[in-house]
Amino acid sequence: MAFIIIDLEFNNLEGIHKYYPNIFEDYPNLQNIDLDNEIIEIGAIKLDNYMKPLEEFKTYIKPSVIPVLNPKISEITNIKEEDLEKGVSFEVGIESLSRIIDDGDIICSWAKDDIIEIINNAVYHKYDNLDWLKNYLDLQEYSTKILGKKKSLSLKNALEELKIRIDNNKLHDALNDAIYTSLVFKRIYNSRALKSYIIKDIYNMPAVELKNLSEYKLDLNKIRYKCPKCNVDLEIEYDFIPIKWRFVSLCKCPKCNNKILNEVIVKKTFSGEEVYKEISTIVDEIEYMNYSYKIKKTR
């Protein structure tokens, strides 16, 4: 068993109007493309179960979806048009990556975004040879929990937390980021703790966020409405509304009289199943007033 730490860089159209005001006139097909992020670089490092590096991988992907490299992306990643001209097709790049992965190896990335985009790009290109995408470990989730943090750590923050020296000029290069991720992993690797974080079925993990919550109708039958202290049914005072990335409601416990903030995060698996994550938190009067104001304002 080995660990394959993958990192990707993408090209997209976010903010590109600042640089190319007429881009949709010059490339009208870009208005309706079904791919938000086109992979333009793949980096990976393979570690054995003693955290010893075994192999490195890096390749540029020649764009076939978004023909213009977003200058903002180029600024962040230091990737140039000439780098991409020397790149390979998505299919060749992914095939090459898959060759360093053996049966039983665990695919790792910093957050699930890279895995999501591999699948999204594969779907767009009608590429279906992803049998190697099996066991998966989200190193951001693992690191955040192991280091006892409440909010998800960025890779840079994790490196700083562990006092790993960073060359900022090397960040946002796919291979370098994979190597930096491996250094974090090596510091906090625990074979026993790790087991509960490994996902055996990537296609059924809740990873795809809903794009437009305002148009989504919650299935209230999937929501428990239980007090986190008493485990009794809550009285709903403000029903669910979408706020940022989740749905929020305010409730009251009839037994302990606590005010409860109820949050529901909805994600989809790659197989299309919707997964609800419900978080019920006791809040004080000030927090309750703040959320009730937000709810009233949003309605």
Side-chain angles (χ1 to χ4, degrees), residues 207-242:
V208 183
E209 294 185 0
L210 301 180
K211 288 187 176 181
N212 195 344
L213 292 185
S214 62
E215 296 180 0
Y216 180 81
K217 186 175 181 180
L218 274 178
D219 184 351
L220 299 180
N221 293 322
K222 293 183 177 181
I223 301 171
R224 295 179 65 247
Y225 289 110
K226 295 288 185 181
C227 175
K229 181 180 179 181
C230 309
N231 200 36
V232 301
D233 291 340
L234 295 171
E235 295 175 353
I236 302 169
E237 299 195 331
Y238 291 94
D239 215 343
F240 281 105
I241 65 163

Side-chain angles (χ1 to χ4, degrees), residues 112-123:
K112 298 178 178 68
D113 297 4
D114 286 353
I115 300 303
I116 292 170
E117 294 304 341
I118 286 176
I119 294 173
N120 287 342
N121 277 250
V123 169

